[in-house]
Structure formats: C-alpha cells, structure tokens
Amino acid sequence: MTDRDVHLPVAAQPSVDSLADYAGRAEDGGYDCVWLPETWGRDAVTVLTAIAERTDAVDLGTSIVNAYSRSPALLGQTAATLQEASEGRFRLGIGPSGPVVIENWHGLEYGNPLRRTRETVEIVRQVLSGEPVDYDGDEFSLSGFRLRCEAPDPAPPVEVTGMGPKAVELAGRFADGWHAIMLAPDGVRDRLADLERGAELGERDPEDVAVTVGVTCCALEDADRARELARQHVAFYVGGMGTFYRDALERQGYDEAETIHDAWQAGDRERALGAVSEELLDDLCAVGDPETARERLERFEAVDGIDAVAVSFPRGADESEIEATMDALAPDSRE
C-alpha cells in the first residue's frame, strides 16, 4: 500500500508548539512521515528537533531545505544530528529552490542549480559516511572535513525535489528519493519516465528511488470553501513564486498557467484566481467534502511508481481546517 505522509503547514502558524502538535496529530492518525518545508518563517532544523523530542514513531524529514543557504558539509552535519535526535527517523530532502528565493531572499547567485544539487548530495553522503571528505567539483572543493561525532547508522536517506525532466533525471541517477509537486497524475507518469531514465544512466534500480508526491488537500464539509482555499493556493504559487510552477503546468498541457502567472504579476489577483479552471483544480488537488477529497487523493495513490503521497494544505487554511483535513485523510481512516 502506498504510504500517506503529511506536509506540515508553515504559513502563519502561531508557534513551534503548534507545529509539534500537528506532528503528534499526524503520528496518532497513522501518517508515515511528517515533512516540514522551510520557507520564510521558522527554520526547519529547530522545528524538527522539537518534533523529534515529542514524537516516537513517525518519520521526520525536510521537504525541502534549499541547497544554497547552508553549505553541503553543514547539511551533512545537520542530517547526522537530526538522525540522532530522532533515533533513526530522519530523511533529508533538499532542492535548489528558485531565483526568487535564492537571489532575492538569500542574496546568493543561483548559477547552475542542477550541478549544485548533485554535488550537494554527493558531499552530504561523504559526510554521513564518517570518512574524511575530499571533493573536487565545479561548485565545491573540500578537503579534510570529517565528523567528530559518530557517523549515523543507518545514514538517513538523501532525497531531492525536481520539477523539470532534467531535474527528475538527476534524482533517478543520484538521490535516494524524488519529491514531486504541482503535478497531476498524468504529469507524474511523464516525470516517472525521466526518473527511470536517470536510474538507468546511473546503473541503478528505479525502485531504489523513493517517490513522494505532494498533493494540495482540503477536506471540509463546506466543499465550496475547500475549493476556494485550493484555488487561492494554486494561483499564489503559479503566479507569485517565480516561473517553475507555471512551466511545470505548461509542460502538462495547462495553457491557463501563463494567464494565471501574468495576471498575478500584473497585480490582478481576481483575474488570476478566475483563470484557475475547475479542471486544473480537480487534476492537481484533492479538495471538496471529505469523501470527494479522499477519492481524488486515491487517484494519485493508484499511479504505479508512487511510493508515498504527502497531504499538504492550502496556505490560507486555518487551524480548524488543517485539522479537519488531516483527520479526514489520515491513513487510519482508509478502509
């Protein structure tokens, strides 16, 4: 059976305690892994440390931390430490993010994101081995670094995110897992072909690469409210977070993605929201009343090659709406 994970909400959460409470709720509901994004609020490492102390069985991971604002050596140290703090439950999810985040927020040059991601994965693995790190790449050159604490056993998996064909191919070649987002079921199938090609290039078995697909979910008795929240969420990401989400939708044949992006950039939020078609909303998201949301989530779980579906929440959902969705879609609620 496909795992069912949860992406913890990060928008406007009142405290670290509230995020830890969501993680505990997820554990109680039988979710397999709790993933924490890192955006422009609380840092993921501190929050996951708190969650590790307050949970016992659920896996914990970053999805994602970017590959720029921390060095690869520090990411390796962080992964080793969180693996220790969680008693073997940690999974490191990294990715290049995009120019809006890396250049505007962190003041760093974006450069070659695929190369940087690959080299980061390779260096993190060397750090986690406990052996001296000697690495000569295009992005990084390291010599003599070695963990002063005991290397984690087992080492946590190092997973990456990616949206375009080349990024997903890279995941297949080098990573322990691939995290997908802003994909309809048919879009996932297309990208799985890229993953398999990458695995072949890396002389690996594609089944050794764990595939996790994030799906925006909102399961409320007020189905119209659920759809409204999801529509706002899609419009914000396609319109306001660079061009990656727009491009991902266009690759899947959703021509309205350009209209959503351009309208949002022009400040016409109403037009951007109106351009999110009912078909797009239904294909990308699992929203509506609880029964409908469950059925739509199961469409993703039926895709051959997906190992886990991660329930995520619209950025405008309040605490009661997040809890209602988490409970309605909890693995323990499956028949």
Side-chain angles (χ1 to χ4, degrees), residues 95-169:
S97 191
V100 169
V101 173
I102 302 308
E103 296 183 353
N104 294 2
W105 297 358
H106 294 287
L108 301 170
E109 182 181 354
Y110 196 55
N112 187 331
L114 295 185
R115 169 60 65 177
R116 188 177 183 103
T117 301
R118 171 182 171 173
E119 292 191 10
T120 297
V121 169
E122 291 174 340
I123 294 168
V124 167
R125 284 216 179 102
Q126 287 191 26
V127 171
L128 291 172
S129 74
E131 298 300 318
V133 178
D134 291 295
Y135 189 90
D136 185 17
D138 294 333
E139 299 284 324
F140 301 101
S141 180
L142 284 75
S143 177
F145 180 92
R146 184 174 186 173
L147 281 178
R148 294 187 64 186
C149 57
E150 186 175 345
D153 185 18
V158 183
E159 309 181 12
V160 300
T161 189
M163 302 180 73
K166 287 298 182 182
V168 179
E169 181 184 295

Side-chain angles (χ1 to χ4, degrees), residues 1-333:
M1 181 179 290
T2 304
D3 285 355
R4 193 170 286 185
D5 301 345
V6 63
H7 271 127
L8 293 179
V10 293
Q13 297 307 307
S15 66
V16 171
D17 282 343
S18 68
L19 289 164
D21 288 344
Y22 285 135
R25 194 182 196 97
E27 182 172 64
D28 291 343
Y31 284 95
D32 296 283
C33 185
V34 168
W35 297 103
L36 184 69
E38 186 174 71
T39 54
W40 54 93
R42 298 176 182 88
D43 78 276
V45 179
T46 305
V47 175
L48 283 173
T49 302
I51 290 172
E53 292 295 314
R54 303 182 202 186
T55 54
D56 299 307
V58 68
D59 282 353
L60 311 173
T62 55
S63 184
I64 61 161
V65 291
N66 75 71
Y68 287 83
S69 58
R70 298 177 179 87
S71 74
L74 179 57
L75 283 170
Q77 290 176 265
T78 299
T81 306
L82 281 169
Q83 182 75 327
E84 179 182 358
S86 65
E87 297 182 331
R89 295 181 284 135
F90 181 65
R91 296 162 66 179
L92 177 66
I94 62 175
S97 191
V100 169
V101 173
I102 302 308
E103 296 183 353
N104 294 2
W105 297 358
H106 294 287
L108 301 170
E109 182 181 354
Y110 196 55
N112 187 331
L114 295 185
R115 169 60 65 177
R116 188 177 183 103
T117 301
R118 171 182 171 173
E119 292 191 10
T120 297
V121 169
E122 291 174 340
I123 294 168
V124 167
R125 284 216 179 102
Q126 287 191 26
V127 171
L128 291 172
S129 74
E131 298 300 318
V133 178
D134 291 295
Y135 189 90
D136 185 17
D138 294 333
E139 299 284 324
F140 301 101
S141 180
L142 284 75
S143 177
F145 180 92
R146 184 174 186 173
L147 281 178
R148 294 187 64 186
C149 57
E150 186 175 345
D153 185 18
V158 183
E159 309 181 12
V160 300
T161 189
M163 302 180 73
K166 287 298 182 182
V168 179
E169 181 184 295
L170 180 145
R173 291 182 70 182
F174 302 106
D176 297 314
W178 167 51
H179 292 208
I181 191 173
M182 201 62 76
L183 292 172
D186 285 343
V188 175
R189 293 184 179 96
D190 290 341
R191 296 286 74 79
L192 284 171
D194 300 321
L195 186 85
E196 291 170 2
R197 182 175 63 253
E200 290 173 3
L201 289 170
E203 299 181 346
R204 308 173 68 204
D205 186 340
E207 293 188 2
D208 291 338
V209 185
V211 175
T212 301
V213 179
V215 181
T216 300
C217 300
C218 197
L220 306 175
E221 294 301 331
D222 185 346
D224 291 339
R225 169 65 175 169
R227 294 182 70 81
E228 175 191 357
L229 286 166
R231 178 172 278 106
Q232 292 171 353
H233 183 87
V234 170
F236 170 77
Y237 273 90
V238 176
M241 292 299 290
T243 60
F244 291 101
Y245 299 105
R246 179 199 67 188
D247 295 345
L249 291 183
E250 289 183 337
R251 276 192 295 268
Q252 296 171 78
Y254 297 103
D255 296 334
E256 61 264 45
E258 183 175 1
T259 301
I260 297 167
H261 178 269
D262 292 349
W264 190 279
Q265 290 296 309
D268 191 347
R269 303 293 192 261
E270 184 175 352
R271 182 165 173 256
L273 288 167
V276 180
S277 68
E278 298 299 319
E279 177 188 8
L280 175 59
L281 202 62
D282 288 338
D283 288 351
L284 283 183
C285 307
V287 297
D289 62 71
E291 182 178 358
T292 300
R294 280 191 287 265
E295 290 174 354
R296 297 200 179 281
L297 191 60
E298 288 166 1
R299 292 175 309 142
F300 288 88
E301 294 175 329
V303 175
D304 187 30
I306 292 179
D307 297 290
V309 171
V311 173
S312 64
F313 310 97
R315 59 191 298 269
D318 64 25
E319 182 178 0
S320 65
E321 292 163 336
I322 291 166
E323 291 178 348
T325 299
M326 191 181 295
D327 292 348
L329 301 180
D332 287 354
S333 71

